[in-house]
């Protein structure tokens, strides 16, 4: 697979190219890095296709930096920018990048899909200089039906993984994310929930092996990294233990017919009462049925300011519509589901439906890898143990109607999620959790109104404290929230660590201290090497 070019010639070619194309005054670090890469890698690479810097080509650099970022709040001119972006073509390039960053005292940020809610995969507020290692060119997916497994490289999106599985089989799937542009490298390290989690658990529960680069530049598989580290990387959050190169995932059986529906209720259609009932039944429904609720303000009429609350019940059922109707009539008749609301399709088309693709889109659209959601936003998360009472919901609606574009998504738990122990992987939100909430405030005018929207979501979050999990108030690590706390000299990481990981946090810290004692892999909310 290597380019047919000798190491000596590669050195001369790359360094000469850099000297010609980059102004010397600001390119020394990049030149040193490239020289070091060549010295430490067995495979050469075309520099112009692998490196992006503002000195080389400011437009290309900007395009590359912004290419996968979801949260535009971290792409303003005031946010720190990397010295350059490096896109490895082979695993040996990643190894060399770690070795060279260490040697040159460069801080690394690792990006696979760019979906980090606080921009931690592409922005470093307190680390200078820093570079981005972007894994988007390491995206091979190899599906092996004989072993019921697949190897997926970190730069592949979850949509690509789904597509490659359905290329081989219409009756195999994988229980991971709802957003098809998620990079699988960073997705699974947070646990990775999706619409089949009530049947099969999280994506992280269905990982068989992994390949990572450690802080010494060595590639380790499950056997070489050991069971402690393998446990830590399946839900312990990204950017703490190493660079994920690839995951070996376990495929799960899916039926040839899957049914989906979306039924919307408003306040005027007894929406609050229906939602109160959903809270009581969503975690107890048939394991094949996942019904999430997408909640936002909506216009009652064309008159400005005349708004209500819209609650859309979006479902995926692993079976046909006849059986779905039986389940719904028995367990959740209050929704008023009819056969007309139901659409039968293949599993891959149901994945696309949940992800927001139009029904006419072909599965190949999953290969595009582009996010359907790009906004300035602030997000938070909660886990709910007891139904939120009607008066609590009415107080929430009042606050939602005061904000421009708020959104909340409620995802049901129960089923397999309640049967897997809290300590099985670092993701601890299991038995006793009714549902998870994602909170969002979005806006389009950047810094102009940012303070107002940030104030709103923090006040709304404070209001909801009385209705959600306590001691600790739990949060989902893949919905990163720096309001919970950051790694600073005087701070105690338990303030945020126990919210994401509960009792698993101390084990994560112990593993981190043994595996990466110099804290090479770090960011504002990475697992620290010690507590206190």
């Amino acid at each position: 697979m290597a380019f047919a070019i000798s190491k000596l010639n590669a050195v001369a070619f790359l360094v000469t190219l850099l000297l010609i194309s980059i102004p010397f005054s600001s390119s020394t670090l990049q030149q040193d890095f490239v020289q070091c890469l060549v010295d430490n890698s067995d495979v050469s690479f075309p520099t112009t296709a692998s490196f992006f810097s503002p000195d080389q080509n400011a437009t290309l650099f900007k395009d590359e930096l912004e290419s996968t970022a979801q949260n535009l709040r971290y792409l303003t001119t005031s946010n720190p920018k990397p010295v350059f972006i490096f896109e490895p073509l082979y695993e040996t390039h990643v190894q060399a990048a770690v070795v060279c960053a260490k040697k040159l005292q460069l801080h690394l940020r690792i990006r696979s899909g760019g979906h980090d809610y606080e921009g931690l995969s592409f922005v470093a507020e307190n680390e200078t200089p820093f570079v981005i290692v972007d894994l988007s060119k390491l995206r091979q997916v190899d599906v092996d039906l004989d072993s019921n497994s697949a190897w997926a490289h970190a730069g592949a999106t979850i949509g690509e993984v789904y597509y490659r599985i359905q290329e081989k089989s219409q009756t195999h799937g994988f229980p991971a994310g709802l957003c098809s542009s998620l990079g699988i490298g960073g997705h699974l390290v947070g646990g990775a929930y999706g619409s089949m989690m009530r049947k099969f658990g999280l994506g992280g529960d269905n990982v068989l092996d992994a390949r990572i680069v450690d802080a010494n530049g060595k590639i380790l598989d499950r056997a070489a990294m050991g069971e402690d580290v393998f446990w830590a990387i399946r839900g312990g959050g990204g950017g703490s233990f190493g660079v994920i190169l690839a995951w070996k995932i376990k495929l799960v059986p899916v039926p040839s017919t899957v049914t989906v529906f979306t039924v919307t209720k408003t306040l005027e259609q007894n929406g609050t009462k229906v939602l109160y009932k959903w809270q009581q039944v969503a975690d107890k429904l048939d394991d094949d049925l996942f019904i999430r609720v997408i909640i936002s303000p909506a216009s009652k009429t064309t008159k400005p300011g005349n708004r209500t609350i819209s609650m859309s019940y979006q479902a995926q059922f692993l079976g046909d519509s006849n059986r779905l109707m039986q389940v719904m009539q028995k367990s959740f008749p209050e929704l008023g589901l009819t056969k007309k609301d139901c659409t039968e399709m293949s599993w891959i088309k149901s994945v696309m439906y949940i992800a927001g693709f139009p029904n006419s889109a072909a599965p190949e659209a999953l290969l595009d890898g582009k996010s359907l959601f790009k906004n300035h936003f602030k997000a938070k998360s909660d886990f709910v143990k007891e139904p939120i009472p009607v008066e609590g919901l009415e107080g929430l609606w009042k606050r939602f109607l005061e904000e421009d574009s708020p959104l909340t998504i409620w995802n049901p738990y129960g089923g397999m999620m309640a049967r897997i122990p809290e300590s099985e992987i670092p993701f601890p939100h299991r038995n006793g959790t009714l549902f998870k909430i994602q909170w969002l405030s979005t806006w389009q005018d950047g810094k102009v109104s940012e303070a107002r929207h940030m104030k709103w979501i923090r006040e709304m979050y404070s209001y909801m404290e009385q209705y959600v999990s306590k001691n600790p108030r739990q949060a989902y690590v893949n919905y990163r929230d720096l309001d919970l706390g950051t790694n600073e000299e005087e701070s105690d990481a338990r303030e945020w660590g126990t919210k994401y990981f509960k009792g698993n946090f101390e084990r994560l810290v112990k593993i981190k201290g043994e595996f990466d004692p110099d804290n090479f892999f770090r960011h504002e909310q990475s697992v620290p090497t010690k507590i206190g």
Side-chain angles (χ1 to χ4, degrees):
M1 292 174 73
F3 290 97
I5 182 169
S6 73
K7 194 168 183 180
L8 186 61
N9 287 339
V11 174
F13 169 72
L14 292 170
V15 174
T16 302
L17 182 59
L18 281 170
L19 286 170
I20 293 169
S21 61
I22 308 172
F24 180 78
S25 60
S26 55
S27 65
T28 306
L29 269 179
Q30 187 177 333
Q31 290 181 37
D32 291 347
F33 190 82
V34 170
Q35 179 71 60
C36 180
L37 280 180
V38 174
D39 290 343
N40 287 278
S41 175
D42 296 330
V43 183
S44 60
F45 47 88
T47 314
T48 50
S50 299
F51 280 90
F52 302 86
S53 73
D55 295 326
Q56 232 172 331
N57 187 318
T59 302
L60 275 179
F61 172 78
K62 182 175 184 290
D63 290 347
E64 202 60 31
L65 181 64
E66 298 178 0
S67 60
T68 59
Q70 239 198 342
N71 195 344
L72 304 182
R73 190 157 59 90
Y74 290 99
L75 292 176
T76 65
T77 53
S78 61
N79 291 120
K81 302 295 185 290
V83 182
F84 56 85
I85 300 168
F86 173 50
E87 295 185 354
L89 299 177
Y90 302 101
E91 291 184 348
T92 183
H93 295 162
V94 182
Q95 289 180 276
V98 170
V99 169
C100 296
K102 212 169 184 181
K103 178 180 177 183
L104 298 171
Q105 297 185 312
L106 285 168
H107 178 65
L108 284 188
R109 290 290 159 116
I110 312 300
R111 183 169 77 176
S112 57
H115 278 241
D116 190 287
Y117 274 19
E118 297 281 18
L120 300 186
S121 61
F122 56 91
V123 174
E125 295 286 351
N126 302 317
E127 302 275 0
T128 306
F130 77 98
V131 301
I132 294 172
V133 174
D134 183 304
L135 303 175
S136 58
K137 290 192 168 107
L138 297 173
R139 58 192 322 126
Q140 187 170 336
V141 180
D142 297 309
V143 177
D144 181 10
L145 296 181
D146 291 337
S147 66
N148 234 31
S149 67
W151 273 102
H153 281 76
T157 65
I158 194 65
E160 286 178 272
V161 174
Y162 294 155
Y163 179 84
R164 297 302 174 199
I165 293 170
Q166 70 88 42
E167 256 190 330
K168 295 283 185 77
S169 167
Q170 297 290 311
T171 55
H172 288 76
F174 183 64
L178 308 174
C179 176
S180 62
S181 59
L182 289 162
I184 196 168
H187 182 44
L188 294 183
V189 289
Y193 81 89
S195 57
M196 295 200 295
M197 68 180 185
R198 302 188 65 254
K199 179 77 170 180
F200 299 109
L202 303 172
D205 295 321
N206 291 276
V207 169
L208 302 170
D209 203 342
R211 289 168 62 79
I212 70 170
V213 177
D214 71 4
N216 297 312
K218 292 181 179 174
I219 294 179
L220 308 174
D221 62 7
R222 177 175 181 172
M225 75 180 80
E227 287 303 301
D228 276 347
V229 176
F230 185 62
W231 174 85
I233 62 175
R234 290 174 296 144
S240 290
F241 296 95
V243 184
I244 304 292
L245 293 174
W247 298 104
K248 185 180 184 182
I249 58 176
K250 179 172 72 176
L251 306 184
V252 300
V254 296
S256 54
T257 300
V258 174
T259 306
V260 299
F261 69 77
T262 300
V263 172
T264 300
K265 300 289 184 184
T266 65
L267 298 182
E268 294 72 27
Q269 298 168 310
N270 286 323
T272 303
K273 287 184 179 178
V274 175
L275 185 63
Y276 184 67
K277 180 64 176 179
W278 174 89
Q279 295 182 84
Q280 296 172 309
V281 302
D283 69 309
K284 302 171 188 69
L285 294 170
D286 189 300
D287 290 2
D288 288 332
L289 179 56
F290 173 93
I291 308 176
R292 68 173 179 167
V293 193
I294 303 167
I295 304 169
S296 64
S299 295
K300 281 197 278 193
T301 67
T302 52
K303 268 191 206 172
N306 195 5
R307 301 202 300 172
T308 184
I309 298 294
S310 165
M311 291 153 262
S312 292
Y313 295 80
Q314 186 184 63
Q316 180 194 63
F317 179 67
L318 301 174
D320 63 33
S321 57
N322 289 328
R323 189 162 76 86
L324 170 60
M325 289 302 300
Q326 291 171 9
V327 169
M328 290 295 289
Q329 285 161 5
K330 177 185 174 185
S331 304
F332 192 19
E334 292 82 359
L335 186 62
L337 183 72
T338 67
K339 195 80 178 285
K340 277 193 315 188
D341 297 319
C342 303
T343 306
E344 295 182 345
M345 55 184 62
S346 64
W347 173 76
I348 195 71
K349 290 293 283 185
S350 77
V351 163
M352 297 180 71
Y353 176 89
I354 295 282
F357 287 92
N359 289 337
S360 58
E364 284 71 24
L366 291 168
L367 300 176
D368 187 36
K370 292 284 194 302
S371 175
L372 301 178
F373 180 90
K374 275 182 179 279
N375 283 287
H376 296 82
F377 70 87
K378 174 63 184 175
K380 289 179 171 292
S381 60
D382 270 311
F383 289 85
V384 178
K385 307 283 190 176
E386 296 176 3
I388 300 165
V390 168
E391 59 267 28
L393 296 175
E394 289 173 343
L396 179 60
W397 306 153
K398 180 176 179 292
R399 286 160 175 81
F400 256 53
L401 292 171
E402 292 168 353
E403 176 65 344
D404 297 344
S405 299
L407 175 69
T408 183
I409 303 174
W410 297 13
N411 291 283
Y413 273 54
M416 182 60 78
M417 290 298 292
R419 297 191 283 273
I420 297 173
E422 284 192 2
S423 59
E424 185 72 17
I425 63 173
F427 181 100
H429 317 289
R430 305 287 188 168
N431 190 33
T433 299
L434 302 183
F435 56 97
K436 173 175 61 62
I437 299 178
Q438 176 177 195
W439 304 108
L440 288 156
S441 178
T442 67
W443 60 96
Q444 297 294 332
D445 58 357
K447 291 287 185 186
V448 175
S449 65
E450 180 175 311
R452 175 166 60 86
H453 298 297
M454 297 288 275
K455 181 175 183 286
W456 176 84
I457 196 168
R458 287 165 178 158
E459 288 178 350
M460 182 278 304
Y461 183 74
S462 178
Y463 163 75
M464 287 302 297
E465 183 173 9
Q466 61 194 306
Y467 301 117
V468 298
S469 60
K470 297 172 180 65
N471 302 316
R473 183 177 183 176
Q474 297 165 39
Y476 177 39
V477 70
N478 270 1
Y479 293 159
R480 183 84 62 187
D481 181 5
L482 294 184
D483 286 354
L484 301 180
T486 58
N487 286 320
E488 295 173 4
E489 279 188 32
E490 301 303 317
S491 67
D492 186 341
R494 278 172 291 212
E495 289 178 11
W496 56 265
T498 55
K499 292 175 182 177
Y500 290 140
F501 307 113
K502 295 178 68 176
N504 294 328
F505 186 57
E506 292 196 7
R507 184 180 174 191
L508 284 169
V509 172
K510 182 175 182 292
I511 295 167
K512 169 73 173 181
E514 293 169 354
F515 189 67
D516 181 19
D518 297 328
N519 203 25
F520 178 75
F521 294 107
R522 64 188 183 275
H523 55 70
E524 288 83 344
Q525 265 187 3
S526 56
V527 175
T529 57
K530 60 184 179 180
I531 302 174

